[in-house]
Amino acid sequence: MLNYHIWTIGCQMNKAESERLGSLFEETGYHYVPNVTDADLIVINTCVVRQNAEDRAVHKLQNFKPLKKARPDIIIAVTGCWVESNNDQLKKTFPFVDYFFKAGECPPWVDRAKWLQALPKEPQPATYVPIIHGCNNFCAYCVVPYRRGREKSRPLSEIVCEVKELVSRGTREVTLLGQNVDSYGHDLPEKPALSDLLTELNDIEGLYRIRFLTNHPKDMSRRLIQTVAHLDKVCKNITLPAQAGSNEVLKVMRRGYTIEEYRRLVNEIRREIPDVGLVSDIIVGFPSETETQFQQTVNLLTEVKFDTVHLAAYSPRPGTIAAREMVDDVSAEDKKRRLTILENLQVNIVTEINAKL
Ligand code: SAM
Ligand code: SF4
């Protein structure tokens, strides 16, 4: 029996892709082992959205060098957003790696037909289902469109079939994934919207809950809000990253909305779905962010009172618009201080929300 091990870091899309790779390897006769030293095939699924995620992947990979030396027959493969179309530099730096393959693509040593059909035999009760790959937005700080390419929606009928199959194998909750789920369907011949997909999935017998993420504040439609409000299986939870509270910062981030538009959208969501859970992402210390502009983010969090906020300090990513055209001029100390302020604020907000329950 051959053994495999997958190490994953990063977003839900990476986790979904690792789950699929695991099913594929199981199909081809491999058995999962939690200990990397017992594996004959090791895959590391990487994230480069921030420098610290990239550093962890580098560190992990370097640990495998002595393993490969001791057992040259082991296959080591790297996937995820670290991998580009041209990996000459990576190949030079890590000559002991057998394969590099891009995020969401078929491992080069596997039959593509098998990869296309890979579904977990015994899926988790709650399973991720990618519905749109890539991103067309090019926010100034973000490396994702460069590594995952342009948007590509999966046909609606294919997703519905897949979810039915997952439900027949034991899944009860699905989370539909996309960098911008509001873009779903625009590139398909019949142009279905996320609302159409949710409506079809809601009818699947045996499926209890449907979630989706991430929404984009510039694209989220009134129709989607109403669909979420009315479909009984769709969880009342919206992930709507604001990224900043200042219009100047949002503009240089190229987010495509003003903070007034963002607040109006939040108000509309709360009006239509009164018990909604709201999640946001915030970046502090974006190039040129002043104390006054940061204070506007503090104000946003204080007023909106999100249920969850994912906080990050700006990390310049090579190749992005911000890294090419802007100076990373907020000091590490200021970024850390701003992060701590928001972390403490959010702890108080969540305590207040929980106390009411
Ligand atoms: N598509 C989603 C959106 O529009 O917000 C998020 C995808 S992104 C991969 C996940 C989060 O990582 C972002 O919301 C952002 O807050 C954070 N992020 C992305 N690039 C970053 C950078 N260069 N520095 C710090 N945080 C970053
Ligand atoms: Fe990155 Fe912006 Fe696309 Fe989200 S919408 S993946 S932050 S470029």
Side-chain angles (χ1 to χ4, degrees):
M1 165 81 78
L2 289 169
N3 296 328
Y4 76 94
H5 180 91
I6 305 179
W7 179 84
T8 309
I9 187 169
C11 65
Q12 288 88 346
M13 192 63 95
N14 269 15
K15 287 176 193 143
E17 285 164 0
S18 286
E19 270 182 21
R20 304 262 146 153
L21 286 174
S23 316
L24 175 73
F25 299 151
E26 301 270 347
E27 282 288 306
T28 51
Y30 281 84
H31 171 73
Y32 175 76
V33 283
N35 195 341
V36 73
T37 51
D38 298 329
D40 305 285
L41 164 63
I42 303 169
V43 177
I44 77 163
N45 193 351
T46 60
C47 168
V48 291
V49 163
R50 287 183 286 275
Q51 186 64 47
N52 59 0
E54 182 169 339
D55 293 345
R56 284 182 62 191
V58 172
H59 183 72
K60 196 77 191 168
L61 196 52
Q62 270 157 351
N63 286 343
F64 297 154
K65 197 175 172 182
L67 203 63
K68 179 79 177 177
K69 204 168 172 205
R71 282 185 51 203
D73 58 311
I74 295 181
I75 298 176
I76 298 181
V78 177
T79 186
C81 288
W82 198 14
V83 180
E84 298 182 68
S85 303
N86 179 344
N87 294 297
D88 291 349
Q89 193 50 48
L90 281 179
K91 284 179 188 158
K92 254 191 219 153
T93 318
F94 302 99
F96 57 93
V97 173
D98 298 280
Y99 299 103
F100 290 94
F101 61 102
K102 286 182 78 173
E105 292 195 350
C106 176
W109 67 94
V110 169
D111 176 5
R112 202 177 144 76
K114 279 213 170 87
W115 174 72
L116 285 172
Q117 287 159 10
L119 263 196
K121 265 205 190 102
E122 292 172 19
Q124 298 291 323
T127 304
Y128 293 122
V129 177
I131 61 165
I132 177 167
H133 297 282
C135 183
N136 290 358
N137 283 309
F138 291 91
C139 300
Y141 50 81
C142 186
V143 78
V144 168
Y146 302 89
R147 301 301 169 96
R148 287 187 171 269
R150 297 302 92 78
E151 286 168 355
K152 194 163 188 324
S153 304
R154 295 178 63 197
L156 187 143
S157 57
E158 180 184 302
I159 300 168
V160 173
C161 266
E162 183 172 304
V163 173
K164 281 185 180 160
E165 189 56 39
L166 286 166
V167 169
S168 76
R169 297 182 193 190
T171 288
R172 293 292 170 261
E173 171 179 321
V174 288
T175 301
L176 311 177
L177 296 179
Q179 297 300 339
N180 176 2
V181 288
D182 299 299
S183 281
Y184 174 72
H186 74 90
D187 53 334
L188 293 172
E190 287 170 353
K191 309 216 175 305
L194 178 59
S195 303
D196 301 314
L197 178 61
L198 292 173
T199 306
E200 291 230 8
L201 294 178
N202 200 68
D203 287 340
I204 296 179
E205 218 174 295
L207 180 66
Y208 298 165
R209 289 182 188 168
I210 308 166
R211 300 176 183 277
F212 56 87
L213 52 96
T214 302
N215 287 99
H216 198 301
K218 77 175 167 52
D219 295 325
M220 192 175 183
S221 69
R222 169 163 290 195
R223 182 173 164 223
L224 179 64
I225 298 171
Q226 286 169 354
T227 304
V228 175
H230 292 112
L231 291 180
D232 60 330
K233 293 183 185 171
V234 176
C235 295
K236 311 306 178 214
N237 198 284
I238 304 284
T239 301
L240 193 68
Q243 307 297 0
S246 138
N247 279 333
E248 291 94 344
V249 176
L250 287 173
K251 192 159 184 215
V252 281
M253 282 181 164
R254 295 175 177 239
R255 288 289 290 174
Y257 50 85
T258 64
I259 205 61
E260 291 76 23
E261 286 163 343
Y262 184 89
R263 283 173 199 264
R264 272 201 292 280
L265 183 57
V266 165
N267 290 341
E268 183 174 352
I269 293 170
R270 285 196 162 143
R271 204 169 44 245
E272 296 289 333
I273 317 168
D275 53 350
V276 71
L278 278 178
V279 181
S280 193
D281 293 7
I282 295 288
I283 298 176
V284 298
F286 190 75
S288 80
E289 184 189 64
T290 63
E291 285 299 328
T292 313
Q293 289 166 341
F294 168 68
Q295 189 55 44
Q296 290 171 320
T297 301
V298 175
N299 297 346
L300 180 76
L301 264 57
T302 310
E303 287 161 31
V304 173
K305 297 190 198 304
F306 295 102
D307 295 86
T308 304
V309 182
H310 302 126
L311 299 165
Y314 170 67
S315 168
R317 303 285 63 213
T320 58
I321 297 163
R324 280 184 273 130
E325 298 177 4
M326 299 168 205
V327 182
D328 180 20
D329 55 0
V330 179
S331 69
E333 295 73 42
D334 279 339
K335 285 179 186 167
K336 181 136 203 316
R337 180 178 49 77
R338 290 176 192 179
L339 261 189
T340 309
I341 292 173
L342 294 187
E343 278 162 5
N344 292 339
L345 171 63
Q346 193 55 26
V347 166
N348 291 337
I349 290 170
V350 171
T351 308
E352 198 184 301
I353 293 172
N354 289 347
K356 285 191 194 143
L357 302 172

